[in-house]
Amino acid sequence: MLPEAILKEEKKELAFVGKKIPRVDAKEKVSGRPIYVRDLAPKVCYHAKIVRSTRPHARIKNIDVSEVLKIPGVVDVITADDIPGINFVDAIIPDKPFLAKDEVNYVGEEIAIVVAIDKETAELAAKKVKVEYEDLPFEIDFDIDKIEPNRIICDSRIEKGDVEKGFKEATYVIEETFETGAQEHAYIEPQGVFADASGDIIEIKAATQCPYYVQKNVSKILGVPLHKVKVTATMVGGGFGGKEEDPSWIAALCALASYKVGRPVILDYDREEDMLSTTKRHPSKIRIKIGVDEEGKFTAIEAKVVLDGGAYGTITPAVLFLAVQVVSGPYKWPNVKIYGVAVKTNRPPSGAFRGFGAPQAVFAIESAIDILAEKMGINPIQLRMINGLEGGSKTVTTQKLGDDVGFKESLEIADNISEFSRKRELYTKHNEGRVIKKGIGLAGAWTIIGLGPGGYPEDRGIVYVQFTIDGRLVVNVGVTEMGQGSLTVIKQMAAEIFGMKLEDVEVIIGDTLALLDTGPTVASRTTFVIGNALRDAARKLKPIIFETALEISEKISEPLEIRDSMVFSHDKSVSIPISEITRHAYTKHKMLTAIGWYSPPRTYINEKGLGEPFYAYIFATHVAEVEVDTETGAVKVLNVWAVHDSGKIINPVTASGQVEGGIVQGMGLALFEKFVYENGKMINNNFTDYLIPTIKDAPNIHVRFVEKTSPEGPFGAKGIGEIPLVASIPAIINAISHAIGRRIKKIPATYEDIYFLCRANKK
Ligand code: MTE
Ligand code: MOS
């Protein structure tokens, strides 16, 4: 059968895709089955504790471990001198030492590893390691106008047309600067790793989004070949990007400890240690100048995007790249000049975090557009409608989009279901002279899926699929489940593509040596690349199933199809259970195993930043309705209407879950989450003093999907994991700004900030 004919089968009425299939991991999670790394480590093993810098920037003059080794129960203390391989963490910029030797650049930086027979002894001993410092000047902030060249990590730009000319043609021009803060991932499960390097193969169990990054880092730092490192990615208790890079060095710390002492070791961070030392969202300062002509058409955008990369470069170039790509929003721009730069500070390295630069950038542009609409005196929806991207539009980088652009539909639907336009006027009148003011705000959003031109070599989808002798389909895949629902969605797609019953499909994840490297579980790309890899596997395996069916039965006639784990003739008159076919195929030595491979469309940019940097774009509109007590600054987010175009939705329940969670996590960055520093040291690294939204703060959330199907995606799907967070922040902030009649330009805007803003002179 030709591949086209097989693909046509997918167009039939769908049995599982688009259906509310319950999560496959729900039962084991709610019943407390041992699935996380701390459950899976043996009860008896050594414990590691990290000795960390107490200074934001200092030269290390001496490390004295003599007293520590005398403590009963202490097994070893490991420093940079004990590293057999390379003392740098592998990353886009591999500048972060694995263990600091001569210098430290943030409070919490790793200096030494103490190994002891139990956790208490390890913790006690770690405090006794004497590190002698010579303090150096430090920075935890930066000035957008004065960036010292020696602090620059990287830069990125897009240039198109002539912005000077564009601003001359404009009737209205505004220029504003916006700021966003750092954010903690606040996964429920703190970072943790178990390692056993006592045998020939170094075995690691880690809560990680990227088991192959862990494998590579352990191999480099220990100086052993890749195939000697076996990483089992356990179920992840929340990652949100925070388990993208960090586990690479946390696992290597644990593995090195085990390697040196020759025994199994566990390294499990507690909350304070995790918050102090792991990566955070990049703080940003973004200046945007935009112009619009008499007809309401955008004429030019000039933007400067500055990100705080923290102490080391690591993943920052990729985050900056995306911030620059999306800072112009989902709009058409004839003239563009965007410059992005990342600077060093003495904070923990900034890292991957849901949205990956887009939340900062989209908050800035969507605030700026609201300011411009206000200046023009028009409905903010209208301005977005005039300029919004649609099917066939060209993006900021001149990439021609296909028909799968549902942005304007999302604006329209959001307006209708929230009654935005009506309430906007109503609340403006209602608020006059009142203490409790109501507001409604709207924001468009776009972002991408996939790794972009820089990450293209790793942006693949691979599955290893097998029909077992008893007629079940086993899908092995090197992705991780961190709550986003990938296990469920992959199972649905596999069942649909192969025509199997859901209960006859098994999805197995988790082991780097047994599986094939399908790249990292990041950038909302799992559904897209794995769905496509499954299609490829089906193209290879289905013909063998059909050929075997024809061998078994003389009555069955082509074209054949698989449904409900049975092979049917086209007129449905004859059917054979898959199990009968697989049994027969095995006895005839037919190979019922296939590797499904997917290579996404090539992505690229030129020296001006123009080109086709991503293979898929996704869109959303959020509307938020809020109530602000102007005497206290307290905000209640009452409702959020979230309309998303992520292509075909594979599972409406898990997809809505992504939207709901993303909105609340965005609320955190918008209103609550703020790290406080004193003398270069973070002082609120706990959930008492660092506030995140809880279920009591969560608004009513109304989710809708505009399913503009992608021609490239499986069943037309794209991705949904990150964009809800991106869209919710400017919607909430625009709503509060509407309520209080003052513009918020810096987030988090805490209740206290809002209180003072209400008292400030109106601007
Ligand atoms: N949802 C839950 N529940 N937990 C998570 O850790 N991570 C987010 C998002 N949704 C996350 C989540 C991030 S940062 C990404 S990149 C995507 O899920 C990754 O999963 P996907 O490729 O399956 O969309
Ligand atoms: Mo997500 S920030 O790409 O892990």
Side-chain angles (χ1 to χ4, degrees):
M1 202 186 239
L2 292 170
E4 290 86 84
I6 290 165
L7 282 183
K8 247 188 226 134
E9 272 197 66
E10 291 179 18
K11 300 233 170 73
K12 287 181 322 207
E13 198 194 316
L14 298 169
F16 308 112
V17 162
K19 302 279 156 56
K20 298 177 179 177
I21 305 296
R23 290 185 77 100
V24 299
D25 50 345
K27 199 165 165 191
E28 59 181 10
K29 283 183 174 169
V30 295
S31 62
R33 298 247 322 129
I35 51 175
Y36 297 103
V37 63
R38 285 165 182 76
D39 310 325
L40 298 173
K43 289 278 168 292
V44 179
C45 63
Y46 284 168
H47 286 254
K49 182 77 188 175
I50 308 302
V51 178
R52 299 184 178 281
S53 166
T54 55
R55 311 299 167 93
H57 190 196
R59 222 180 311 284
I60 297 177
K61 287 169 68 184
N62 189 36
I63 303 171
D64 178 3
V65 301
S66 53
E67 289 302 305
V68 183
L69 288 168
K70 289 183 203 151
I71 299 171
V74 170
V75 182
D76 206 349
V77 182
I78 298 159
T79 63
D81 294 330
D82 301 310
I83 295 166
I86 300 166
N87 187 17
F88 281 101
V89 174
D90 188 69
I92 298 173
I93 300 181
D95 61 344
K96 178 177 156 44
F98 171 64
L99 288 172
K101 187 172 161 66
D102 306 314
E103 197 182 293
V104 284
N105 282 289
Y106 62 96
V107 173
E109 186 166 356
E110 298 79 7
I111 297 175
I113 315 164
V114 175
V115 190
I117 54 164
D118 56 41
K119 197 170 179 185
E120 293 67 32
T121 309
E123 279 173 1
L124 188 90
K127 289 193 190 116
K128 299 259 159 83
V129 173
K130 285 191 206 123
V131 183
E132 225 180 297
Y133 299 100
E134 182 190 324
D135 285 317
L136 297 168
F138 64 88
E139 300 279 358
I140 62 152
D141 198 3
F142 61 89
D143 183 338
I144 185 169
D145 293 311
K146 277 191 237 123
I147 293 162
E148 298 95 333
N150 62 344
R151 288 176 65 191
I152 292 179
I153 296 170
C154 56
D155 61 9
S156 179
R157 66 191 79 223
I158 303 175
E159 279 173 32
K160 184 174 82 175
D162 179 349
V163 285
E164 295 310 319
K165 183 175 141 273
F167 288 124
K168 271 196 202 112
E169 286 163 11
T171 318
Y172 298 96
V173 176
I174 61 127
E175 184 173 356
E176 297 284 353
T177 306
F178 303 93
E179 281 183 40
T180 66
Q183 189 182 18
E184 165 61 34
H185 301 87
Y187 27 64
I188 294 176
E189 175 203 29
Q191 304 273 354
V193 178
F194 167 78
D196 184 355
S198 61
D200 182 39
I201 300 275
I202 298 168
E203 292 197 36
I204 303 213
K205 291 188 169 76
T208 170
Q209 297 174 229
C210 311
Y212 296 93
Y213 290 1
V214 170
Q215 188 186 34
K216 195 152 113 192
N217 266 284
V218 170
S219 124
K220 284 201 165 168
I221 289 159
L222 266 57
V224 298
L226 265 186
H227 74 273
K228 291 283 183 194
V229 184
K230 171 181 150 104
V231 179
T232 305
T234 60
M235 197 64 85
V236 179
F240 308 110
K243 288 172 184 158
E244 180 165 341
E245 315 123 79
D246 296 85
S248 294
W249 56 82
I250 297 169
L253 291 165
C254 190
L256 177 58
S258 175
Y259 195 67
K260 268 230 54 208
V261 303
R263 291 287 189 86
V265 174
I266 186 165
L267 173 58
D268 59 336
Y269 284 12
D270 59 24
R271 184 63 65 183
E272 286 74 16
E273 179 176 26
D274 192 307
M275 289 178 81
L276 181 78
S277 65
T278 61
T279 58
K280 308 277 172 280
R281 188 185 295 289
H282 288 76
S284 77
K285 293 183 188 174
I286 300 178
R287 180 166 300 146
I288 290 188
K289 182 177 175 185
I290 50 178
V292 65
D293 69 15
E294 225 152 298
E295 290 165 19
K297 283 203 177 133
F298 291 154
T299 59
I301 178 165
E302 191 171 349
K304 182 173 184 183
V305 178
V306 190
L307 297 185
D308 173 349
Y312 297 106
T314 58
I315 205 171
T316 290
V319 177
L320 180 70
F321 180 77
L322 185 56
V324 164
Q325 290 290 315
V326 298
V327 73
S328 51
Y331 307 102
K332 292 174 235 171
W333 296 100
N335 302 297
V336 179
K337 191 173 175 189
I338 298 167
Y339 174 65
V341 58
V343 298
K344 275 192 185 176
T345 60
N346 297 99
R347 292 172 177 255
S350 301
F353 196 146
R354 198 174 197 175
F356 212 79
Q360 297 93 319
V362 172
F363 159 65
I365 183 68
E366 290 299 312
S367 300
I369 289 177
D370 255 32
I371 295 170
L372 185 61
E374 211 169 299
K375 190 165 177 179
M376 296 164 70
I378 72 166
N379 182 338
I381 285 209
Q382 205 186 331
L383 187 55
R384 289 172 171 91
M385 273 306 239
I386 297 171
N387 296 286
L389 292 171
E390 56 209 337
S393 296
K394 283 197 171 167
T395 66
V396 61
T397 62
T398 71
Q399 181 165 355
K400 192 167 188 300
L401 297 171
D403 293 331
D404 53 333
V405 183
F407 177 53
K408 287 191 173 180
E409 288 88 337
S410 76
L411 278 168
E412 227 173 276
I413 296 170
D415 190 17
N416 288 337
I417 61 175
S418 67
E419 298 186 74
F420 173 83
S421 297
R422 186 181 70 81
K423 288 179 183 167
R424 184 92 172 177
E425 283 185 30
L426 187 74
Y427 295 163
T428 309
K429 286 192 201 112
H430 160 98
N431 286 342
E432 269 172 45
R434 284 184 204 244
V435 170
I436 310 267
K437 296 187 193 289
K438 284 188 111 178
I440 191 158
L442 165 132
W446 73 331
T447 191
I448 52 82
I449 63 166
L451 304 178
Y456 187 78
E458 282 191 75
D459 209 344
R460 63 184 93 84
I462 310 176
V463 291
Y464 167 66
V465 177
Q466 184 167 44
F467 276 105
T468 57
I469 195 161
D470 57 345
R472 292 171 60 78
L473 184 74
V474 181
V475 177
N476 296 271
V477 54
V479 302
T480 60
E481 171 63 77
M482 49 181 148
Q484 87 276 36
S486 58
L487 269 175
T488 309
V489 161
I490 292 169
K491 187 167 178 163
Q492 281 175 263
M493 292 193 294
E496 194 74 65
I497 291 169
F498 283 90
M500 298 294 285
K501 286 184 187 159
L502 216 50
E503 63 262 32
D504 290 339
V505 177
E506 197 118 35
V507 181
I508 295 177
I509 58 174
D511 175 348
T512 50
L513 284 195
L515 302 171
L516 301 157
D517 181 355
T518 188
T521 306
V522 304
S524 307
R525 67 185 197 100
T526 306
T527 303
F528 192 92
V529 297
I530 299 304
N532 276 321
L534 284 167
R535 287 160 113 175
D536 183 49
R539 277 180 213 118
K540 292 169 179 161
L541 279 182
K542 276 185 170 180
I544 303 170
I545 294 286
F546 292 149
E547 176 195 286
T548 313
L550 291 168
E551 277 172 26
I552 292 177
S553 162
E554 286 180 353
K555 282 179 277 169
I556 200 160
S557 59
E558 292 189 277
L560 302 177
E561 70 163 281
I562 316 177
R563 200 154 185 95
D564 293 333
S565 304
M566 312 245 270
V567 175
F568 286 95
S569 60
H570 71 288
D571 59 2
K572 304 262 191 289
S573 61
V574 186
S575 66
I576 309 169
I578 281 279
S579 54
E580 202 180 318
I581 293 170
T582 51
R583 216 165 287 129
H584 185 82
Y586 270 86
T587 60
K588 297 282 174 201
H589 292 200
K590 287 178 195 271
M591 191 170 83
L592 286 184
T593 303
I595 289 174
W597 187 282
Y598 178 64
S599 163
R602 175 106 222 138
T603 54
Y604 66 93
I605 50 160
N606 65 18
E607 65 290 345
K608 291 194 150 188
L610 306 177
E612 301 192 351
F614 293 97
Y615 52 76
Y617 293 82
I618 52 179
F619 304 90
T621 299
H622 283 198
V623 172
E625 187 173 37
V626 302
E627 206 172 75
V628 185
D629 183 337
T630 54
E631 277 183 353
T632 64
V635 173
K636 267 192 215 147
V637 183
L638 303 171
N639 286 288
V640 174
W641 292 269
V643 187
H644 283 262
D645 175 23
S646 281
K648 174 77 183 169
I649 295 300
I650 303 293
N651 187 326
V653 176
T654 54
S656 297
Q658 288 294 289
V659 176
E660 289 159 10
I663 287 171
V664 178
Q665 203 166 29
M667 241 179 102
L669 183 61
L671 299 175
F672 303 119
E673 299 185 40
K674 190 173 187 168
F675 278 112
V676 182
Y677 279 80
E678 228 172 67
N679 301 320
K681 185 179 188 313
M682 185 192 294
I683 58 164
N684 61 335
N685 50 319
N686 58 69
F687 286 153
T688 310
D689 302 317
Y690 179 94
L691 300 183
I692 60 171
T694 69
I695 191 69
K696 288 193 128 187
D697 302 299
N700 293 314
I701 296 171
H702 318 269
V703 184
R704 294 280 193 288
F705 295 112
V706 183
E707 297 179 278
K708 288 264 181 172
T709 51
S710 152
E712 180 76 15
F715 306 96
K718 289 192 268 192
I720 187 84
E722 296 165 276
I723 190 167
L725 182 148
V726 179
S728 71
I729 297 164
I732 292 167
I733 294 298
N734 284 342
I736 300 170
S737 298
H738 174 231
I740 65 177
R742 310 278 199 286
R743 179 48 57 177
I744 294 168
K745 295 176 197 164
K746 183 176 176 182
I747 56 169
T750 62
Y751 294 175
E752 193 178 353
D753 297 328
I754 293 167
Y755 168 87
F756 284 113
L757 200 60
C758 289
R759 252 132 213 87
N761 286 332
K762 191 167 175 173
K763 198 196 147 209

